[in-house]
Amino acid sequence: MKLLDMIRMGLGSLIAHRLRSSLSALGIAVGIAAVILLTSIGEGINRFVIAEFSQFGTNIITVHPGKTQTRGASIGIFASDRPLTIDDSVALRRVASVLYSVPAVQGTAEVNAEGRSRRVTVYGVGPDFPDAFSINVASGSFLPHDDPEQARTFVALGSKVRDEIFGSSNPLGDRVEIGGSRYRVIGVMESKGQILGVDLDDTVYIPAGRALELFNRDGLMEINVVYRPGANPDTVVDGIHKTMMTRHGREDFTITPQQEMMDVLSSVLEVLTFAVGALGSISLLVGGVGILTIMTISVTERTSEIGLLRALGAKRGQILSLFLGEAILLSSIGGVLGLSLGVGLAQLLTITVPALPVNTPWLFAVLAETVAVAIGLAAGVVPATRAAGLDPVEALRAE
Amino acid sequence: MISLAGIDRSFQVGDQTVDALADVNLDIGAGEYLSIMGPSGSGKSTLLNIVGLLDRPTGGVYKLDNRDVTRLTDEEQARVRREKIGFVFQAFHLVPRLTALENVSVPMMLSGIAISERRQRAAKSLEDYGLGDRMDHRPSQLSGGQRQRVAMARATIMHPPVLLADEPTGNLDRASGREVVGLLERLNASGVTLIVVTHDPELGRRARRQLHMVDGRINADNVLQK
Ligand SMILES: Nc1ncnc2c1ncn2[C@@H]1O[C@H](COP(=O)(O)OP(=O)(O)OP(=O)(O)O)[C@@H](O)[C@H]1O
Ligand SMILES: [Mg+2]
């Protein structure tokens, strides 16, 4: 018996019972659609988060004060640990393959100017900051390469801070008061919008040394080292480690390559997407039970037909594949239906809720389709085996 | 061509054993026309099913064309059925969702014959049985006599040397019954071995060789002298 004939026969008997065939195919379709929709949302969020994290580039290595054990949680900073200094940051700039080294201190402070006042995020950074993170200056210039210990009191404003305080007038050269000290505005940054909930535009940038004073800290929060794209990150990490060891004498710092963080993040998100997909496949399972039911009924109804086919010389194997094929046909029709339904809904979601990142992972679509076929196979095995095992004489007697 | 020796067939019903056939010995030559009669429950259908390889005897040896087919595997028996035996049933057993043409095509489909050849052969056969204008009709759209003729077209489409008919006229009125019998006899005249189980004495008497069964045994085996 040819495969095409088998498909034709299967389709014929499915069409003969249109209503119940469509209903049980719908069960699978709903399951597949649920899996595809859920994984699309999961994958969309995954990509969104990764894109957010990597928009500053992935060739960043961050140095934190204190030692984080490779296993378990951070032990925190001991009193005896040496703080990260601006000098450390300057030294790291000289490590091979390193392009920029940006010290960072962050806090919030009141900004006063023009009789207005606003509470904003204050970043204490180095002059390399715009190059390191690809955040450009819209007008004026960024903090100059001053002696880090005695940097001049210049400030670069985030676009929102400028809008809120200066409106449409040009702030360049004006003075603003930040946390009680006076700074001169030398630049305005281009708008970057929110990144992971942090509004980069509602921010002012001052020299790291000044920020240490402002927030009364004796050490930096972190140093961000940017290395040449294409350089081996391990070599750069080794270089940073060596420099830091010579400077601090012992390992009281932690080096985290961005790539490593991203890998961990990405794998966590992937597991999440998978888990969500698995949740959706519960409805797929229910669809499978539907097919099992329909096929069982079908075998019972067609007992005399099975007897006839056997009398006409059909082998048990042919009866088996006939019913198995019908179950698979039913579930793959449901699968295709579900695929279009799921992708359609995902597209609709993209259009109606643009804020929600949706991305259909094709691997999951293929996987869902394979699962649909597998479910048809699994649901068909029992009824088909029963059909193949029928005694032809008994079967012919059935009515 | 058909040789049954010491055939037993017993059924276990609860703790009771029912002997549907007991020590049946029968030799049938190629091209014979045989009728089997006897009271209800005498084992006529059981005998026919064993000859048709739908059922296995519990004892004895069945040789078809000098080949012991008693102990063939299911697969091999299916093959023998497909190639050598045609069945005509009282209840027609047409597949309700298939057209007359498709019903006749089923044995060819099972043998893997290409669809174009199937259509051609089935159409030809249906024309021979006077159903040229009914090819695309479903069984529910056909009369009893027409259904049985479709079933006969299906039974003969693979040109089996043996045709087994279990009460072929049982569900038909006289006229269509006579028509079907005429077609069966025409096949026999062309060389097909024909075995007909019937309750109708008039039909039974038409066969050249008439068996009579009682309680699972053949108690009379008359061959008409011509
Ligand atoms: N599957 C079975 N289980 C138990 N007993 C059976 C089975 N099939 C047949 N029998 C018994 O075997 C005997 C012969 O049955 P069979 O069907 O061959 O009779 P028959 O001569 O064809 O009768 P009828 O003329 O009514 O069709 C009967 O007593 C019947 O009850
Ligand atoms: Mg009978």
Side-chain angles (χ1 to χ4, degrees):
Chain A
M1 194 172 174
K2 297 207 173 77
L3 183 68
L4 195 67
D5 288 327
M6 222 123 86
I7 294 171
R8 207 178 279 134
M9 278 290 272
L11 269 180
S13 78
L14 292 183
I15 290 169
H17 298 281
R18 281 172 214 86
L19 184 65
R20 74 183 193 201
S21 299
S22 353
L23 284 179
S24 55
L26 196 66
I28 292 289
V30 167
I32 294 282
V35 170
I36 286 179
L37 195 62
L38 288 172
T39 52
S40 294
I41 295 172
E43 180 72 7
I45 289 173
N46 187 346
R47 290 196 182 192
F48 173 75
V49 170
I50 296 296
E52 289 283 277
F53 269 98
S54 56
Q55 66 171 296
F56 297 128
T58 51
N59 47 339
I60 298 174
I61 297 171
T62 308
V63 182
H64 288 278
K67 178 67 194 153
T68 307
Q69 297 300 90
T70 17
R71 276 163 210 261
S74 161
I75 313 178
I77 307 166
F78 289 106
S80 60
D81 283 350
R82 293 229 254 145
L84 279 185
T85 62
I86 296 175
D87 284 343
D88 287 334
S89 169
V90 172
L92 290 180
R93 171 69 188 78
R94 288 190 293 270
V95 171
S97 295
V98 168
L99 295 178
Y100 312 109
S101 169
V102 182
V105 179
Q106 185 230 327
T108 51
E110 199 87 27
V111 175
N112 294 300
E114 305 273 295
R116 268 172 262 222
S117 126
R118 184 172 179 80
R119 206 164 173 78
V120 301
T121 306
V122 177
Y123 272 113
V125 294
D128 283 343
F129 176 83
D131 293 328
F133 293 104
S134 338
I135 298 177
N136 297 325
V137 181
S139 63
S141 57
F142 199 69
L143 306 175
H145 282 85
D146 281 347
D147 173 2
E149 298 300 325
Q150 285 153 32
R152 283 168 283 170
T153 52
F154 287 148
V155 62
L157 304 179
S159 62
K160 190 168 185 180
V161 177
R162 192 205 74 164
D163 292 346
E164 293 294 327
I165 293 181
F166 292 95
S168 53
S169 67
N170 185 2
L172 292 183
D174 283 9
R175 293 193 172 274
V176 295
E177 207 182 279
I178 301 170
S181 310
R182 288 158 73 78
Y183 289 78
R184 183 191 295 277
V185 178
I186 61 161
V188 175
M189 311 304 288
E190 66 176 18
S191 174
K192 266 285 175 179
Q194 295 213 347
I195 288 171
L196 293 171
V198 177
D199 191 348
L200 286 180
D201 299 336
D202 206 4
T203 299
V204 297
Y205 300 91
I206 60 173
R210 297 286 170 189
L212 286 177
E213 279 170 30
L214 174 62
F215 299 120
N216 204 9
R217 293 179 58 101
D218 47 357
L220 300 170
M221 288 178 168
E222 59 183 40
I223 300 170
N224 292 297
V225 179
V226 178
Y227 56 90
R228 189 166 42 76
N232 181 355
D234 293 339
T235 322
V236 182
V237 167
D238 280 350
I240 292 171
H241 189 259
K242 209 175 284 165
T243 305
M244 288 302 290
M245 284 302 280
T246 5
R247 293 183 57 81
H248 284 216
R250 61 193 186 82
E251 193 149 354
D252 54 2
F253 54 87
T254 305
I255 301 172
T256 318
Q258 174 101 340
Q259 192 57 56
E260 199 170 279
M261 243 172 65
M262 299 262 296
D263 289 348
V264 171
L265 191 68
S266 164
S267 63
V268 166
L269 289 170
E270 256 160 40
V271 167
L272 221 73
T273 305
F274 193 82
V276 162
L279 215 67
S281 30
I282 291 176
S283 49
L284 215 53
L285 209 70
V286 175
V289 173
I291 289 196
L292 175 69
T293 312
I294 288 301
M295 289 313 295
T296 306
I297 292 172
S298 182
V299 169
T300 308
E301 277 178 356
R302 283 152 69 191
T303 300
S304 89
E305 181 186 324
I306 294 163
L308 168 82
L309 289 175
R310 299 273 283 134
L312 295 180
K315 298 173 185 148
R316 284 185 195 279
Q318 286 179 312
I319 303 286
L320 184 84
S321 16
L322 213 55
F323 279 88
L324 217 50
E326 209 171 301
I328 293 172
L329 211 58
L330 197 56
S331 64
S332 27
I333 289 173
V336 171
L337 210 74
L339 190 63
S340 16
L341 199 70
V343 172
L345 282 175
Q347 300 292 5
L348 200 71
L349 213 59
T350 319
I351 296 165
T352 50
V353 197
L356 188 71
V358 175
N359 197 300
T360 304
W362 287 107
L363 181 71
F364 274 82
V366 171
L367 207 70
E369 213 46 41
T370 317
V371 166
V373 170
I375 283 180
L377 195 71
V381 163
V382 173
T385 311
R386 200 167 66 88
L390 286 176
D391 176 62
V393 178
E394 298 284 333
L396 276 168
R397 244 203 299 264
E399 207 41 69
Chain B
M1 124 171 267
I2 291 168
S3 160
L4 302 174
I7 294 291
D8 295 319
R9 179 63 168 110
S10 52
F11 293 98
Q12 201 67 39
V13 182
D15 48 5
Q16 203 185 339
T17 308
V18 179
D19 289 317
L21 292 178
D23 192 27
V24 170
N25 296 286
L26 182 63
D27 281 285
I28 304 169
E32 277 199 68
Y33 178 10
L34 207 100
S35 71
I36 305 176
M37 288 187 284
S40 188
S42 55
K44 307 183 294 293
S45 297
T46 307
L47 179 60
L48 207 66
N49 289 335
I50 282 175
V51 170
L53 290 172
L54 283 177
D55 196 8
R56 286 172 187 273
T58 34
V61 174
Y62 170 21
K63 284 186 181 167
L64 182 63
D65 287 335
N66 290 323
R67 178 184 180 202
D68 186 350
V69 290
T70 333
R71 262 160 275 286
L72 290 184
T73 63
D74 274 357
E75 300 282 278
E76 288 165 332
Q77 286 199 339
R79 190 188 170 80
V80 174
R81 273 202 301 276
R82 207 166 64 202
E83 288 171 355
K84 299 204 165 161
I85 294 160
F87 288 94
V88 177
F89 306 96
Q90 177 176 356
F92 320 132
H93 282 297
L94 298 178
V95 181
R97 61 172 184 282
L98 300 184
T99 63
L101 191 85
E102 288 165 340
N103 264 293
V104 174
S105 298
V106 169
M108 293 186 279
M109 188 183 72
L110 291 172
S111 315
I113 293 172
I115 188 155
S116 52
E117 185 186 339
R118 283 191 332 234
R119 295 193 150 275
Q120 197 187 326
R121 272 170 67 177
K124 168 100 175 43
S125 174
L126 281 171
E127 264 159 28
D128 286 350
Y129 283 94
L131 293 165
D133 53 346
R134 291 280 189 273
M135 290 188 201
D136 296 323
H137 290 220
R138 287 177 207 285
S140 59
Q141 297 162 328
L142 298 172
S143 75
Q146 288 169 335
R147 288 185 212 183
Q148 196 60 303
R149 278 186 279 152
V150 173
M152 284 182 60
R154 180 181 63 193
T156 53
I157 195 76
M158 301 298 285
H159 307 297
V162 180
L163 198 60
L164 307 177
D166 196 346
E167 316 221 18
T169 59
N171 283 8
L172 301 177
D173 61 58
R174 268 197 179 276
S176 355
R178 220 172 285 141
E179 200 172 19
V180 164
V181 169
L183 290 166
L184 286 171
E185 289 175 354
R186 197 179 78 187
L187 283 165
N188 173 245
S190 72
V192 174
T193 310
L194 177 63
I195 305 176
V196 181
V197 167
T198 183
H199 273 119
D200 180 357
E202 194 187 319
L203 169 56
R205 273 198 296 275
R206 296 180 65 89
R208 273 187 300 283
R209 185 173 171 194
Q210 298 159 15
L211 296 190
H212 197 268
M213 292 188 70
V214 174
D215 287 340
R217 290 168 198 277
I218 299 171
N219 73 339
D221 184 349
N222 301 318
V223 181
L224 285 191
Q225 304 298 328
K226 278 236 164 143

